[in-house]
Amino acid sequence: MLRFGVCRESVCIRSEKETLLKLKHNLTDPSNRLSSWNNATANSDCCQWAGVVCNNTTAHVVELHLNTAPPNLHDYEFNIEGYDKAEEAYSRSQFGGEISPSLADLKHLNYLDLSGNELLGQGTPIPAFLGTVTSLTHLNLSYSGFSGKIPPQIGNLSNLVYLDLRYAAEGTIPSVIGNLSNLCYLALRSNSVLGENVDWISRLSKLKYLDLVDANLSQSFHSLHTLQALPSLMHLHLSRSTLPLPHDSQPSLHNFKSLLTLEMSSFTISYVPKWIFGLTKLVSLQLRGNYIQGPIPDDIQNLTLLQTLDLSDNLFSSSIPDSLYSLRHLKFLNLKGNNLNGSISDALGNLTSLIGLDLSYSYQLEGKMPTSLGNICNLREIRFSHLKLNQQINEILQIFALCISHGIITLDVDRNPFESIGLLSNLSHISIADNQFQAAVKEDDLANLTSLTEFYASGNNFTLKVGPNWHLSSQLTRLHMREWHLGPNFPSWIQSQNKLEYLEMSNAGILDSIPTWFWEISSQASFVNLSHNHIHGDLGTTSRIPISILNVFLSTNHLSGKLPYLSNDVQRLDLSGNSFSGSIDDFLCKNQNKPMRLQFLNLASNNLSGEIPDCWRTWPFLVYVNLQSNRFVGNLPPSMSSLTELQALQFCNNLLSGIFPTILKKNVKLISLDLGQNNLSGTIPLWVGEKLKYMIILSIRSNKFSGHIPNIICGMSQLQVLDLAHNNLSGNIPNCLNRLSAMTSMERSTSPVIYCDPTNNTFGNASLFHPSEFDLVGMFILLKGRIDEYKSFLGLVTSIDLSNNKLSGEIRKEITELNGLIFLNFSRNQLIGQIPQSIGNMGSIISIDLSKNQLSGEIPPTISNLSFLSMLDLSYNHLKGKIPIGTQLQSFDASNFIGNNLCGPPLPVNCNSNGKSSDDHKGKASHKHGIMAPYREAARTSKHQCPEKIL
């Protein structure tokens, strides 16, 4: 925030005014915050300009406040949309450009704050000329866009008391910082490196605050005892620093007698160092996000002055010790995300100073919430979600009855096995989501909610029973009622809620149309989810004005007619699983005078038809397009090449024809492409492997592609799913598949999900994007005769399916180097030769299908090493000999081995009879062959349908 000059009588010095105007000239000011910096206006006294402070006596400019303050995420913890808007406003108000060297002409400047801006663009070092402004006592360049090495000239600023270079510098921290002997505050948070020689630290004898978060301290540990030579140090922040701590028997950091704050979160320690318990003046101790095991140490009771204790997200495995309840000064206690067990002691009520308490995600904490909590009336935030509390919610509210009247604002008891819901109180925030509530909620139950603004109650079995004229007595901003019974009529009481920003009423039993008034009262909303209901009607009739809600989810309903019009601001639209019909020309091409900001478009599983219109240039920000399971014909139009941000394109199960779409050459950010189950033909072009280097999923199954599989596909190093099944491909399987590095490691670190990230859009930035279930990429995969859509776990799937082609030659041993491959299907080809002897190296494999080829020789014994194998089909080849002995192999059905000359379990063929079976066994084999009919049927019919089953 800009500060304004307080000097009303003095008039600024002319030369300094000119310097300020030069400074403004080099800056970009998108929000015009420096409009007062104008020599032509009536207010030409620069001491009165925004952000300028002059000396009352001399009129010299002594302070420049040109910082831009980002929004505080904690202020928007339950209001993501509000935070998005605040972040967008912050981005628009940041200064850019560069700092003019003329700044050095301000010889009396002692305070300079340029934090929170984007100066010079990211990647430019701090300008060295700042080292000539020797009058500075306060310099803040944190989060200013600078990076690179700290210029040694900083060491000339011997008057500095305050130096903040957080995320403004990197590389080795220069020893010249030690010249700044007057420093009280030093923040070097970044990927900086503290070198081997850190003796300069001991020269900072006045230092009270030191921030080395994210710094690399590994080279300097043997000298880190020099930190103990800082007699004034009160606040030490070392989170996420790479510093191996010594064993407690070795010299450590126990001499910080003045330390009040110690932050060592995400420090990868596995125990609490004993020297910490000797820091008896500590007021704040933060050790969250480590790997600390065992019980919470009783010695924590030595820290009698603690006000903040954060031990969250560790591996503590004990009950909450009684010693912790003796910390009478505690205001904030966070034990979230540990393995705590037992019950919560009534002694918790001794912590009468508590303001915030979080015990959530301690799945083994059980029993009841202690009644003594009712004595802690300073509490403003209580989080007990994901515990085993066995208590009715009206009992809990009775515990807090007195405190509620004193203003408790947050109660979070999500995912506890509560039994019923009674009378709720006038809290401003209530979170009771994902419990086992089963009750009818009546008007009287909600009568006292006059202060409520946020209500999280999804995932329960509530039935709302209110009259047609009932209205909620408060104005909500966020309402979560997923899986309530709200229907069959559309809830009319929503009409009175004109401040809603977030509305979740999916799977709520609504069997009505959406009334016209709904679109009017929700026009300012950021999120509306009415999916998985039975909503019917024509949106073109009920939504008279273009839909303007930023995120709209109406999937899996019975909506029909033409697609609705959108305003330019909509970002996500999901209308999948409805009955919209006809062409999409009007939707894509009409009434669009400026570019649409839509990022996610899902129109899958409707009755849309016709050619895909050629007007995608007005949709430049799309990152996800899903039009699968419709009746589109033709090929992709040229304008789709303008979707340069596109990351996922899904056209599975349509009637597309022609060759592989050449327009996709320019969609180089694609990570998922599904063109399966169409009528495309021709060869797989070489440019697929050259241009689409970031591809994770590639499916062209069930088309008419022919020719060889190009070797250049092996260069797609991030590929996890390759599905070329059900085509007319011929030639050998490429011998370079071992270069698919995403499938080669069993220890790869992979997210369970794959989602599209629109952070490169020109109107947004990374902080504006919050990935959700609606942004996930899904993929249909054929396994065990069934096609399922993998979504929640797609990021963990690695699969190669080349089945049902005309591939020939041998299975090369290189394929067995894919140690991270999970699903492999080469069935129904013309492969010859032996199964590679090294197949037992594929340690991650779950499913192998090599059936209906011309493979020969024996089954390699190493196949018994595949401990995760749950599906193996080698039927109908020319294999011979004994089936190797292994737990998995003998548990498979005999039908997976028939059609060969094999013997031994699970086949009822005795190997001593030279592999010859009796007539009775031949009958069994014929019967087993019949068992495979559903498999063949599924493979044949899957070309015409994309089942909706979600795993």
Side-chain angles (χ1 to χ4, degrees):
M1 180 181 296
L2 291 177
R3 285 182 56 184
F4 290 82
V6 295
C7 175
R8 296 293 179 185
E9 297 179 357
S10 57
V11 177
C12 74
I13 297 169
R14 181 175 180 179
S15 62
E16 295 188 352
K17 180 196 295 186
E18 292 174 353
T19 297
L20 293 177
L21 291 174
K22 291 178 183 177
L23 184 64
K24 177 186 177 181
H25 179 73
N26 284 20
L27 293 173
T28 59
D29 181 16
S31 61
N32 205 24
R33 290 195 290 158
L34 300 183
S35 59
S36 60
W37 292 31
N38 193 331
N39 202 28
T41 62
N43 184 18
S44 61
D45 179 9
C46 67
C47 289
Q48 308 302 320
W49 290 355
V52 179
V53 177
C54 295
N55 184 284
N56 248 348
T57 304
T58 65
H60 284 298
V61 174
V62 292
E63 297 185 16
L64 283 179
H65 298 260
L66 299 179
N67 58 303
T68 307
N72 188 339
L73 178 60
H74 184 75
D75 295 339
Y76 298 92
E77 186 173 3
F78 298 105
N79 186 359
I80 293 176
E81 287 73 29
Y83 180 71
D84 287 348
K85 293 176 182 177
E87 271 281 292
E88 193 169 4
Y90 164 64
S91 180
R92 289 196 302 265
S93 62
Q94 289 178 299
F95 291 120
E98 61 181 348
I99 304 300
S100 170
S102 64
L103 180 70
D105 295 335
L106 299 176
K107 302 298 184 182
H108 300 271
L109 188 68
N110 58 55
Y111 187 107
L112 177 61
D113 189 348
L114 300 173
S115 61
N117 291 301
E118 284 294 334
L119 301 170
L120 290 170
Q122 293 191 357
T124 306
I126 296 169
F129 71 80
L130 286 178
T132 65
V133 191
T134 55
S135 57
L136 282 174
T137 61
H138 185 292
L139 178 60
N140 190 347
L141 301 178
S142 63
Y143 304 93
S144 55
F146 294 118
S147 65
K149 294 183 178 180
I150 300 173
Q153 291 82 355
I154 291 290
N156 298 332
L157 304 179
S158 57
N159 292 314
L160 276 182
V161 175
Y162 183 105
L163 177 60
D164 192 343
L165 300 181
R166 285 174 298 164
Y167 300 111
E170 54 190 23
T172 302
I173 300 171
S175 60
V176 295
I177 297 291
N179 299 343
L180 310 179
S181 57
N182 289 311
L183 275 182
C184 293
Y185 182 105
L186 177 60
L188 298 173
R189 177 180 301 197
S190 70
N191 296 320
S192 299
V193 178
L194 202 60
E196 293 186 9
N197 183 3
V198 292
D199 292 340
W200 57 268
I201 292 179
S202 61
R203 302 200 299 270
L204 305 177
S205 59
K206 298 180 181 179
L207 200 64
K208 294 182 178 180
Y209 183 103
L210 179 60
D211 185 338
L212 292 174
V213 171
D214 284 323
N216 184 346
L217 311 178
S218 57
Q219 298 181 28
S220 53
F221 173 73
H222 64 280
S223 299
L224 202 59
H225 67 274
T226 55
L227 281 178
Q228 298 179 95
L230 303 178
S232 303
L233 194 64
M234 301 170 68
H235 306 280
L236 179 60
H237 298 266
L238 297 174
S239 292
R240 299 189 300 276
S241 298
T242 53
L243 172 65
L245 285 180
H247 191 272
D248 280 324
S249 63
Q250 298 175 345
S252 54
L253 309 180
H254 63 279
N255 289 330
F256 290 119
K257 299 301 184 182
S258 302
L259 211 59
L260 302 178
T261 299
L262 178 61
E263 182 185 353
M264 293 170 56
S265 298
S266 301
F267 210 69
T268 65
I269 54 177
S270 59
Y271 65 97
V272 182
K274 291 183 179 179
W275 52 262
I276 287 180
F277 304 123
L279 306 177
T280 55
K281 292 185 179 180
L282 273 184
V283 173
S284 175
L285 176 61
Q286 299 181 46
L287 300 175
R288 68 180 177 276
N290 284 291
Y291 297 91
I292 305 175
Q293 305 176 29
I296 297 175
D298 282 329
D299 288 343
I300 206 162
Q301 64 188 329
N302 298 342
L303 307 179
T304 57
L305 300 180
L306 273 183
Q307 297 181 20
T308 297
L309 177 60
D310 190 346
L311 303 178
S312 61
D313 299 319
N314 278 285
L315 301 172
F316 287 113
S317 55
S318 68
S319 59
I320 301 174
D322 291 340
S323 56
L324 191 145
Y325 301 130
S326 66
L327 302 176
R328 302 298 179 89
H329 296 285
L330 267 185
K331 293 183 178 179
F332 300 95
L333 175 60
N334 191 345
L335 302 179
K336 172 180 72 73
N338 282 285
N339 297 322
L340 301 177
N341 53 54
S343 59
I344 304 171
S345 170
D346 205 52
L348 184 61
N350 295 339
L351 304 179
T352 54
S353 298
L354 275 182
I355 295 174
L357 174 62
D358 193 343
L359 301 180
S360 56
Y361 295 92
S362 297
Y363 297 98
Q364 301 306 313
L365 276 180
E366 56 189 4
K368 294 190 175 184
M369 189 180 295
T371 57
S372 63
L373 271 178
N375 302 328
I376 310 176
C377 285
N378 290 319
L379 271 173
R380 293 296 178 269
E381 186 172 297
I382 306 169
R383 298 189 180 279
F384 279 14
S385 66
H386 296 75
L387 306 185
K388 280 188 174 180
L389 298 182
N390 185 15
Q391 205 166 9
Q392 295 185 6
I393 192 169
N394 49 344
E395 291 181 52
I396 293 174
L397 293 172
Q398 287 174 8
I399 292 174
F400 297 109
L402 177 61
C403 291
I404 287 173
S405 65
H406 286 75
I408 285 183
I409 60 171
T410 298
L411 176 62
D412 183 349
V413 289
D414 289 355
R415 292 184 185 243
N416 283 287
F418 297 122
E419 298 171 359
S420 65
I421 185 169
L423 182 64
L424 296 176
S425 188
N426 57 343
L427 304 176
S428 63
H429 166 83
I430 296 176
S431 182
I432 53 172
D434 298 307
N435 284 289
Q436 297 177 12
F437 294 137
Q438 182 173 354
V441 179
K442 301 177 182 179
E443 295 182 11
D444 290 344
D445 297 327
L446 305 174
N448 292 329
L449 299 177
T450 56
S451 301
L452 193 65
T453 59
E454 297 174 348
F455 186 43
Y456 297 77
S458 291
N460 290 291
N461 191 15
F462 287 137
T463 300
L464 184 63
K465 292 187 176 182
V466 295
N469 299 320
W470 175 81
H471 296 294
L472 193 60
S473 56
S474 58
Q475 284 293 320
L476 300 176
T477 58
R478 298 177 70 86
L479 176 59
H480 294 240
M481 302 180 77
R482 170 175 48 84
E483 296 177 11
W484 281 54
H485 300 283
L486 302 177
N489 297 327
F490 196 92
S492 59
W493 52 269
I494 291 290
Q495 190 168 4
S496 65
Q497 297 296 310
N498 52 30
K499 293 184 179 180
L500 277 176
E501 298 175 2
Y502 192 111
L503 176 63
E504 165 68 84
M505 294 197 308
S506 62
N507 195 16
I510 302 173
L511 286 75
D512 201 354
S513 60
I514 301 176
T516 302
W517 55 258
F518 175 78
W519 302 110
E520 297 171 354
I521 65 104
S522 60
S523 60
Q524 84 291 340
S526 298
F527 183 101
V528 169
N529 185 4
L530 299 175
S531 61
H532 295 275
N533 282 290
H534 301 277
I535 299 173
H536 55 82
D538 186 339
L539 286 188
T541 301
T542 59
S543 57
R544 298 173 183 173
I545 57 176
I547 294 175
S548 58
I549 303 165
L550 295 185
N551 300 277
V552 185
F553 304 98
L554 297 172
S555 63
T556 318
N557 279 289
H558 303 298
L559 296 167
S560 58
K562 291 187 176 181
L563 297 172
Y565 291 122
L566 305 183
S567 75
N568 297 82
D569 295 324
V570 179
Q571 296 180 16
R572 291 183 178 99
L573 177 67
D574 188 349
L575 300 177
S576 61
N578 280 284
S579 300
F580 292 104
S581 60
S583 170
I584 61 173
D585 286 36
D586 285 349
F587 173 77
L588 281 177
C589 309
K590 298 291 179 64
N591 300 327
Q592 294 167 9
N593 299 321
K594 58 181 180 179
M596 306 293 284
R597 290 190 173 187
L598 195 70
Q599 299 165 345
F600 296 84
L601 174 62
N602 191 347
L603 302 177
S605 301
N606 279 284
N607 296 319
L608 301 170
S609 60
E611 293 191 352
I612 303 164
D614 191 18
C615 52
W616 293 88
R617 297 187 187 279
T618 54
W619 304 79
F621 303 115
L622 281 169
V623 298
Y624 176 93
V625 175
N626 189 346
L627 301 180
Q628 69 187 24
S629 296
N630 282 286
R631 293 182 291 162
F632 292 112
V633 299
N635 208 316
L636 306 189
S639 63
M640 290 198 82
S641 64
S642 66
L643 303 181
T644 55
E645 301 295 328
L646 193 64
Q647 296 174 34
L649 181 62
Q650 296 178 271
F651 270 103
C652 164
N653 192 23
N654 277 282
L655 302 171
L656 300 182
S657 58
I659 62 172
F660 197 104
T662 57
I663 59 101
L664 296 179
K665 281 184 180 181
K666 296 183 178 180
N667 303 107
V668 295
K669 293 184 180 179
L670 275 173
I671 62 173
S672 175
L673 176 63
D674 190 349
L675 298 175
Q677 296 164 251
N678 282 284
N679 293 316
L680 298 170
S681 58
T683 60
I684 302 174
L686 295 178
W687 59 259
V688 171
E690 295 173 347
K691 301 292 185 181
L692 308 181
K693 296 181 179 179
Y694 302 106
M695 192 72 72
I696 299 175
I697 300 166
L698 175 61
S699 173
I700 58 171
R701 70 175 296 115
S702 300
N703 279 284
K704 300 176 181 177
F705 289 108
S706 58
H708 292 195
I709 300 173
N711 285 347
I712 200 164
I713 281 183
C714 300
M716 303 172 79
S717 60
Q718 299 186 43
L719 201 63
Q720 291 181 210
V721 176
L722 175 63
D723 191 347
L724 310 181
H726 290 265
N727 281 286
N728 295 315
L729 299 172
S730 58
N732 294 338
I733 296 173
N735 61 4
C736 57
L737 291 179
N738 57 337
R739 288 168 48 199
L740 298 175
S741 54
M743 305 185 191
T744 56
S745 175
M746 295 177 64
E747 303 298 330
R748 60 191 175 87
S749 177
T750 305
S751 169
V753 297
I754 298 173
Y755 61 83
C756 296
D757 184 350
T759 54
N760 293 326
N761 289 349
T762 57
F763 62 90
N765 57 50
S767 61
L768 295 178
F769 177 66
H770 303 275
S772 70
E773 60 178 300
F774 306 104
D775 310 322
L776 303 184
V777 176
M779 172 68 184
F780 290 102
I781 299 178
L782 174 65
L783 291 174
K784 300 182 180 180
R786 190 180 77 178
I787 291 184
D788 292 315
E789 185 180 16
Y790 282 72
K791 200 167 190 179
S792 300
F793 303 102
L794 183 57
L796 303 177
V797 172
T798 49
S799 172
I800 296 178
D801 191 347
L802 307 181
S803 62
N804 284 271
N805 280 288
K806 298 177 181 178
L807 300 172
S808 56
E810 297 184 349
I811 300 175
R812 300 291 296 265
K813 66 178 182 179
E814 286 82 2
I815 194 72
T816 65
E817 296 178 25
L818 298 179
N819 293 330
L821 188 65
I822 296 176
F823 304 118
L824 176 66
N825 192 345
F826 286 170
S827 66
R828 297 181 180 179
N829 280 286
Q830 301 168 14
L831 302 176
I832 61 172
Q834 298 185 359
I835 299 172
Q837 293 296 316
S838 54
I839 195 170
N841 296 338
M842 303 179 75
S844 300
I845 204 79
I846 291 176
S847 174
I848 300 175
D849 191 347
L850 303 178
S851 63
K852 297 177 178 59
N853 280 284
Q854 300 174 29
L855 300 174
S856 58
E858 296 185 348
I859 301 174
T862 63
I863 204 168
S864 299
N865 300 335
L866 303 179
S867 55
F868 296 114
L869 196 65
S870 63
M871 190 276 189
L872 174 67
D873 193 346
L874 302 178
S875 62
Y876 300 101
N877 280 284
H878 303 305
L879 300 172
K880 64 180 181 179
K882 183 179 180 180
I883 297 173
I885 300 298
T887 304
Q888 283 81 8
L889 299 183
Q890 273 62 56
S891 66
F892 296 139
D893 195 280
S895 62
N896 296 326
F897 299 94
I898 63 173
N900 292 285
N901 193 23
L902 295 168
C903 61
L907 291 175
V909 180
N910 192 327
C911 291
N912 294 331
S913 62
N914 297 321
K916 296 180 180 179
S917 61
S918 65
D919 292 340
D920 179 63
H921 171 63
K922 290 180 181 179
K924 290 183 179 179
S926 177
H927 175 67
K928 294 293 185 182
H929 177 58
I931 291 177
M932 300 299 290
Y935 180 95
R936 294 194 302 274
E937 180 65 20
R940 183 169 65 251
T941 60
S942 64
K943 182 174 181 179
H944 302 293
Q945 54 186 328
C946 287
E948 294 298 322
K949 183 178 178 60
I950 306 296
L951 292 187

